[in-house]
């Protein structure tokens, strides 16, 4: 049976820290496409306090999460244990995007590994509901290693490449909702 928690306590923090990946779910207010994104790299997720989590948002194939958060703020983060003990943990909440040129980004930067070359922003989630479930049907798998491919590819990109992404596939969602603003800071502007 699932359980609802009133806060992210030390046991939940430990469970979260053990997971090598998490999933983020968002959707537009009306119609459009629901988006579910897998996220990796253990040093990109942080429990900020008992009701706040954040993750380092890296450039990827689009900007659905950012567009949906600008539209309505709704977000769910899901952790799924693939090890010996099955468990699913969902954090339901309201999210916002902290741009690299914001004071909030500066306050949160110490929670993450900033060596990732494709940093786009930090997504902050004010958690309103914390619930787990059994995960009994989830297969048991062993982690071989984190994939370095995203960092490797992004390390080859120039400021001009990132500027094209800001103006192109990161400017709007697949449904046409606004995502990154035209003046969004490039990864090279982030102090490491």
């Amino acid at each position: 049976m699932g359980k609802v928690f009133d806060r992210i306590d030390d046991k939940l923090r430990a469970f979260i820290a053990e997971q090598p990946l998490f999933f983020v779910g968002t959707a537009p207010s009306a119609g459009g496409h629901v988006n579910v994104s897998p996220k990796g790299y253990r040093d990109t997720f942080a429990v900020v306090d008992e009701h706040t989590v954040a993750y380092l948002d890296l450039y990827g194939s689009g900007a659905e999460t950012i567009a949906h958060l600008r539209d309505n703020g709704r977000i769910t983060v899901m952790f799924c244990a693939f090890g010996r003990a099955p468990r699913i943990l969902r954090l339901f909440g309201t999210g916002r995007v902290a741009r690299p040129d914001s004071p909030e980004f500066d306050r949160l930067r110490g929670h993450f590994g900033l060596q990732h070359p494709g940093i786009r922003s930090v997504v902050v989630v004010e958690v309103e509901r914390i619930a787990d479930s059994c995960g009994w049907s989830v297969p048991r798998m062993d982690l071989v290693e984190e994939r370095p491919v995203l960092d490797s590819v992004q390390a080859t990109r120039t400021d001009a490449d990132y500027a094209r992404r800001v103006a192109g596939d990161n400017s709007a969602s697949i449904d046409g909702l606004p995502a990154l603003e035209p003046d969004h800071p490039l990864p090279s502007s982030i102090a490491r």
Side-chain angles (χ1 to χ4, degrees):
M1 288 297 285
K3 182 177 178 184
V4 175
F5 302 87
D6 62 352
R7 62 190 174 88
I8 303 171
D9 61 18
D10 289 341
K11 287 182 180 179
L12 291 176
R13 277 179 186 256
F15 173 78
I16 289 168
E18 291 171 2
Q19 307 316 309
L21 94 136
F22 59 98
F23 301 88
V24 175
T26 59
S29 293
H33 294 83
V34 174
N35 186 62
V36 179
S37 295
K39 307 289 183 184
Y41 299 137
R42 287 181 195 233
D43 63 351
T44 62
F45 192 89
V47 176
V48 178
D49 62 40
E50 294 179 337
H51 295 281
T52 310
V53 298
Y55 69 88
L56 196 60
D57 178 52
L58 306 175
Y59 278 89
S61 56
E64 299 307 297
T65 301
I66 290 172
H68 294 163
L69 293 179
R70 287 184 68 183
D71 179 46
N72 60 40
R74 295 179 308 152
I75 186 168
T76 299
V77 179
M78 184 182 81
F79 295 90
C80 185
F82 296 103
R84 184 172 192 77
R87 185 180 198 184
I88 296 170
L89 179 68
R90 290 180 183 88
L91 308 175
F92 302 86
T94 303
R96 63 183 177 278
V97 177
R99 288 170 39 134
D101 57 354
S102 72
E104 186 170 32
F105 184 95
D106 284 338
R107 284 192 303 274
L108 294 168
R109 65 185 295 122
H111 290 282
F112 309 108
L114 295 179
Q115 78 282 1
H116 301 285
I119 296 172
R120 182 168 54 188
S121 62
V122 169
V123 172
V124 183
V125 180
E126 300 300 331
V127 180
E128 298 155 2
R129 186 175 197 272
I130 305 157
D132 72 357
S133 57
C134 67
W136 291 346
S137 68
V138 174
R140 184 172 172 199
M141 297 184 281
D142 293 321
L143 174 67
V144 175
E145 64 183 352
E146 289 187 333
R147 292 181 198 268
V149 180
L150 183 63
D151 280 349
S152 297
V153 169
Q154 290 182 343
T156 67
R157 293 198 170 125
T158 65
D159 280 355
D161 294 332
Y162 282 110
R164 279 192 293 278
R165 302 219 48 207
V166 169
D169 62 354
N170 279 221
S171 67
S173 74
I174 57 177
D175 297 314
L177 295 172
L180 295 185
E181 292 119 346
D183 68 341
H184 192 87
L186 303 179
S188 63
S189 71
I190 300 169
R192 309 293 172 142

